[in-house]
Amino acid sequence: MRRKLAAGNWKMNGTRASLDELRLLAGAHPAACDMLICPPATLIAAAAGVAGAGPVLIGGQDCHAAASGAHTGDISAAQLADAGASHVILGHSERRADHGEGDAQVRAKAEAARAAGLTAIVCVGETEAERDAGATLAVIGRQLAGSVPDGATGTDTVIAYEPVWAIGSGRTPTLAQIAEVHDFLRASLRTRFGAAADGIRLLYGGSVKPANAAEIFAVSNVDGALVGGASLRAADFGQIVAALSAA
Ligand code: PGA
């Protein structure tokens, strides 16, 4: 049985004042799902302090593939772990687009995350042009094969399906489209990893909000969500957590 996961991605939003939202979330009634907030790197240590031993886990939004060295401005997986992170988002479409990250690089980062004891949330997803061209499953299959390291398990790996055109747009795929991709992801992981695939959680991401969370969480093979905009306020994210807890 996979425990559900509600993950928030604050992206490049938030200063120390934003930790008040985390305080509200951490003080709420414990949820029947895992909760994760990935603040900007500047806030990880402080966020981990606020979260303490409570129900909210803290994650990073990226890491470097190397363990240490001359990489100005980058952060290693071990440094994230040292700051109090248990997870790291890797291969988000904004990293792929803004920083030219490819599947091999994402995979190397995921291996570094595993070596540091972090769980990698590996993101995959098609652009609108790719969906219009009927290439959605081919693109996602290629990203999955290229970005996820050998030997992945539910302990070190979570997969997030985030259609690029649904991120921050207010648009979401139909429930049938989400089901098609999530069923495909599960089948692909089983082919590659056998029984271990059944422990790997599959998150949907892209314009998840309180109003659509419950219907998305009812879709087959959706084990939670990766939430951007609606994770910035505890009131919104708390409603998404409640919907997932009830699913
Ligand atoms: P959104 O972002 O919820 O604001 O669409 C999701 C994401 O990019 O993880």
Side-chain angles (χ1 to χ4, degrees):
M1 191 61 189
R2 292 179 294 277
R3 192 167 155 85
K4 312 245 179 218
L5 172 62
N9 172 12
W10 283 7
K11 308 192 179 185
M12 200 172 70
N13 298 295
T15 57
R16 280 177 292 174
S18 316
L19 296 173
D20 286 345
E21 296 298 321
L22 183 61
R23 258 178 219 106
L24 288 170
L25 202 62
H29 191 70
C33 63
D34 288 342
M35 289 186 275
L36 171 71
I37 292 292
C38 300
T42 49
L43 293 177
I44 289 174
V50 168
V56 183
L57 302 168
I58 301 299
Q61 299 175 10
D62 177 51
C63 71
H64 197 278
S68 64
H71 302 288
T72 302
D74 280 309
I75 300 172
S76 74
Q79 288 170 327
L80 291 178
D82 179 60
S86 55
H87 292 66
V88 60
I89 299 168
L90 295 175
H92 190 284
S93 63
E94 289 153 14
R95 300 276 329 162
R96 291 177 186 262
D98 292 357
H99 300 272
E101 293 188 9
D103 292 328
Q105 194 178 357
V106 175
R107 182 186 187 127
K109 291 179 177 206
E111 283 166 354
R114 175 161 58 195
L118 297 179
T119 300
I121 301 177
V122 177
C123 302
V124 298
E126 82 286 3
T127 62
E128 186 158 34
E130 288 163 343
R131 178 163 282 278
D132 290 346
T136 298
L137 297 185
V139 167
I140 290 167
R142 192 174 65 233
Q143 291 175 335
L144 192 71
S147 302
V148 177
D150 288 338
T153 70
T155 305
D156 54 44
T157 305
V158 173
I159 308 294
Y161 167 51
E162 299 205 306
V164 178
W165 51 273
I167 293 174
S169 66
R171 298 164 61 208
T172 51
T174 65
L175 300 179
Q177 287 171 330
I178 296 174
E180 181 189 34
V181 172
H182 279 244
D183 290 348
F184 170 78
L185 287 171
R186 180 71 60 210
S188 304
L189 291 170
R190 275 192 189 133
T191 301
R192 184 164 165 208
F193 300 117
D198 287 343
I200 298 177
R201 293 179 287 187
L202 306 180
L203 310 183
Y204 168 77
S207 296
V208 176
K209 49 188 189 244
N212 62 17
E215 62 181 21
I216 290 171
F217 295 149
V219 172
S220 111
N221 278 310
V222 172
D223 302 312
L226 181 54
V227 184
S231 72
L232 295 173
R233 288 170 40 81
D236 296 331
F237 194 63
Q239 287 182 62
I240 293 168
V241 168
L244 185 58
S245 295

